[in-house]
Amino acid sequence: MSDFPWLSVLIALPLAGAVLLTVIPRERETLVKQFALGVSLVVAVLTGIMAAGFDAGGPRFQFEEKYWWIREFGIHWALGVDGIALTLILLSVILVPLVILGSWGEADRSGGVDVPVRGEAGPGHAEGPQRSVKAYFALLLSLEATMIGVFAATDVFVFYVFFEALLIPMYFIIGYYGGAQRSYAAVKFLLYSLLGGLLMLVAVIWLYPLSARPVAEGGVGHGTFMFDELSKLNIDPTTAKWLFLGFFIAFAIKAPMAPVHTWLPDAAQQSPAPALVLLVGVLDKVGTYGMLRFCLELFPGAARWATPVVIVFAVVSIIYGAILAIGQVDMKRLIAYTSISHFGFIVLGIFAMTSQAQSGAALYMVNHGFSTGALFLVVGFMIVRRRSARISDYGGMQKVAPVLAGTFLIAGLSSLSLPGLSPFVSEFLVIVGTFSRYQWAAIASVIAIVLAAVYILWMYQRTMGGPAVPAVAGLKDLSAREKWVIAPILAIIVAMGFFPQPVLDVINPSVKETMARVDKQDPAPDITGNVAENGARP
């Protein structure tokens, strides 16, 4: 089935499912949930079948599709995956059915959707209007389609289309199903993302004339947006720097990195907890994926030029995010700030320009998705019970809900990169790979490891330890459905903590290809005026 259009089918299935959901009667909520879950499971199974046919030692991009879309502008419907894109697609299709099942609770006054779907509902929070369960699950399926598309696109213009399309379902999820300040958070998320998207659009359009080749009759022929062809261009260094900045700023906002990170804590606080699994676990990875795929390979000389400044911002994000996480009183905001710190590690690994650090960064994207996804899901379960995300509203939960407390502890320990859990491997690779070239950055980043123990263990102690406060005394432990949601993620975290090599075997060839393309270019002077070392250290 090598000619089967796997990726197009994987994009089309959830979109078709979202459309079909609209014809199911509104009052048949159980059927809506079953159908959405069924579609997401079919997508996951098909992705697994496709992944089983991926040859890590074969061509870089596999399951490729290429059809003309807009011939006049050189735009192709072009899809394909390498090892990095494949692992991120697998992350997406594993999390989506778990998010759908995690949102599948008892009806409440907001219109039949679990509290994590509709946001916080504690003192001072408005109940809000009736909200459609059908629309919520249709938005989740639409989001899944765009997530698969953005990682599979091998035409830069198609990538941009999916990059922007991601905003639409997430904007409505935040703005319609979020907390009391949902409108503010949704608009802030949209404006930040659109600003970055507009900068990238200018850079994408700029690439078109640069790729146009002379024709025999004189003049200039059509350009292209195909990634492979663009990566072979010899772009003027000054132009390359401007193009790099257009892409990089868009990706830095999406990731997010300090100082363009402020949209994330607000979005996290107001978003439904299950949707945060996809926002922070997958959507934000588009930023770091874009840096690795497009910033480095399309503009290698400009990437080396900017590396010292990017490294500084990455270290600032690592430490800044960890410090601010300690002072948070809302669990969702706390996890959001921890993610800013973790994204700093990923960016540090990407721009360390060593194969070891980049392998760690690519693995970190996957591990962080599962680790943070587990945290947000457990926090969502807690909000369902207590109707609050404030840390001070909890205490002694481990006495009344020991299974919930245990899962929260494992998810938290994975977030602080405890050895034996999957994030440790990726964080270790990033630090060791960075140390070989930027010792000060690697040493400074270690500070965040200590801070991580503070914010995770202190949050656990305040919510789970001590005597049970009266408000949590009668709360129930995890239900069977909730155990089915969280158990697969915890199993993956433990399995990849002990056996990361199968995933690294898929990622490493793509990382080596990226470094090979970067090293083909003559090193350009960096921002400090020094000439970067040619060739990445292993």
Side-chain angles (χ1 to χ4, degrees):
M1 300 181 68
S2 59
D3 295 329
F4 185 75
W6 288 102
L7 296 169
S8 291
V9 170
L10 292 177
I11 295 170
L13 270 179
L15 278 179
V19 172
L20 291 175
L21 274 178
T22 63
V23 304
I24 299 177
R26 180 189 179 98
E27 61 274 10
R28 302 196 61 182
E29 292 181 0
T30 300
L31 178 60
V32 167
K33 298 170 184 178
Q34 291 172 341
F35 183 81
L37 179 62
V39 171
S40 65
L41 288 174
V42 170
V43 173
V45 170
L46 288 177
T47 306
I49 295 172
M50 181 190 75
F54 184 83
D55 181 8
R60 180 181 182 183
F61 288 100
Q62 300 178 35
F63 312 111
E64 288 188 284
E65 304 172 37
K66 184 179 178 182
Y67 313 100
W68 277 112
W69 183 17
I70 308 176
R71 187 184 296 268
E72 291 77 9
F73 297 103
I75 301 173
H76 296 82
W77 175 259
L79 306 173
V81 292
D82 64 355
I84 298 172
L86 179 64
T87 55
L88 291 172
I89 290 174
L90 284 169
L91 168 68
S92 305
V93 301
I94 290 172
L95 289 180
V96 169
L98 298 178
V99 166
I100 290 175
L101 190 58
S103 305
W104 195 349
E106 296 297 328
D108 69 10
R109 286 173 292 174
S110 67
V113 182
D114 235 346
V115 173
V117 171
R118 57 181 293 275
E120 290 183 81
H125 289 263
E127 286 298 329
Q130 292 284 320
R131 296 164 190 173
S132 169
V133 178
K134 183 168 63 173
Y136 174 77
F137 288 108
L139 288 170
L140 284 181
L141 290 178
S142 300
L143 189 61
E144 180 177 32
T146 57
M147 291 188 300
I148 295 172
V150 79
F151 294 126
T154 54
D155 182 289
V156 177
F157 190 87
V158 173
F159 171 83
Y160 172 78
V161 170
F162 281 115
F163 182 86
E164 294 289 59
L166 286 167
L167 305 179
I168 301 171
M170 185 53 68
Y171 169 79
F172 284 108
I173 289 174
I174 298 172
Y176 198 58
Y177 297 91
Q181 300 297 319
R182 56 188 178 272
S183 296
Y184 168 79
V187 171
K188 189 173 183 179
F189 160 74
L190 185 66
L191 290 178
Y192 268 74
S193 301
L194 286 177
L195 173 62
L198 288 173
L199 292 174
M200 187 169 72
L201 177 60
V202 173
V204 169
I205 294 173
W206 198 344
L207 284 170
Y208 181 77
L210 294 177
S211 65
R213 298 176 181 175
V215 295
E217 297 80 7
V220 179
H222 289 298
T224 183
F225 291 102
M226 289 298 298
F227 170 76
D228 274 342
E229 297 183 38
L230 292 176
S231 64
K232 298 172 185 177
L233 295 178
N234 186 16
I235 302 174
D236 172 73
T238 302
T239 302
K241 291 172 186 177
W242 285 109
L243 292 171
F244 170 87
L245 289 174
F247 277 85
F248 179 79
I249 294 173
F251 295 143
I253 292 173
K254 181 71 77 176
M257 291 180 65
V260 289
H261 67 285
T262 59
W263 64 268
L264 180 59
D266 291 329
Q269 184 176 13
Q270 300 303 321
S271 295
L276 282 174
V277 176
L278 300 180
L279 174 62
V280 182
V282 181
L283 266 69
D284 289 352
K285 303 301 187 305
V286 176
T288 49
Y289 170 80
M291 293 179 191
L292 186 58
R293 169 73 77 246
F294 299 103
C295 289
L296 264 60
E297 295 200 48
L298 297 184
F299 322 109
R304 287 190 181 278
W305 164 78
T307 288
V309 170
V310 175
I311 292 291
V312 170
F313 278 113
V315 173
V316 169
S317 295
I318 291 170
I319 299 175
Y320 173 83
I323 291 174
L324 264 65
I326 294 174
Q328 300 305 308
V329 297
D330 182 283
M331 287 185 288
K332 291 193 288 185
R333 285 185 73 92
L334 188 152
I335 300 170
Y337 276 110
T338 69
S339 295
I340 293 169
S341 180
H342 293 151
F343 281 117
F345 272 107
I346 298 173
V347 175
L348 180 65
I350 291 171
F351 282 88
M353 297 293 183
T354 69
S355 57
Q356 189 174 41
Q358 287 190 359
S359 292
L363 184 63
Y364 212 145
M365 291 189 232
V366 179
N367 290 337
H368 176 266
F370 288 119
S371 173
T372 303
L375 272 176
F376 276 125
L377 283 171
V378 177
V379 167
F381 298 154
M382 294 167 66
I383 295 172
V384 168
R385 289 157 171 77
R386 182 66 180 85
R387 301 298 179 96
S388 173
R390 292 182 62 84
I391 296 174
S392 59
D393 289 335
Y394 295 85
M397 284 283 289
Q398 63 186 5
K399 298 185 186 310
V400 298
V403 178
L404 186 152
T407 57
F408 193 37
L409 180 61
I410 296 173
L413 292 176
S414 71
S415 183
L416 62 83
S417 300
L418 183 75
L421 301 177
S422 58
F424 169 77
V425 180
S426 44
E427 197 165 284
F428 179 79
L429 287 173
V430 167
I431 293 173
V432 172
T434 301
F435 188 82
S436 65
R437 300 195 69 174
Y438 301 97
Q439 295 183 7
W440 70 269
I443 293 171
S445 66
V446 173
I447 298 172
I449 298 177
V450 179
L451 297 176
V454 175
Y455 59 67
I456 289 295
L457 296 179
W458 193 29
M459 177 175 65
Y460 181 85
Q461 187 271 330
R462 288 181 288 170
T463 56
M464 302 294 167
V469 299
V472 306
L475 300 185
K476 296 180 180 180
D477 208 342
L478 293 184
S479 66
R481 173 184 62 86
E482 291 167 333
K483 292 175 183 176
W484 276 106
V485 170
I486 198 66
I489 300 182
L490 297 184
I492 291 171
I493 289 173
V494 174
M496 289 182 61
F498 285 97
F499 306 104
Q501 195 58 48
V503 182
L504 286 171
D505 288 341
V506 174
I507 289 172
N508 284 337
S510 300
V511 170
K512 291 178 181 177
E513 183 70 22
T514 299
M515 290 309 306
R517 293 199 179 194
V518 171
D519 294 335
K520 284 179 182 178
Q521 301 288 330
D522 292 330
D526 60 32
I527 291 174
T528 64
N530 298 318
V531 175
E533 178 183 349
N534 188 21
R537 297 177 183 175

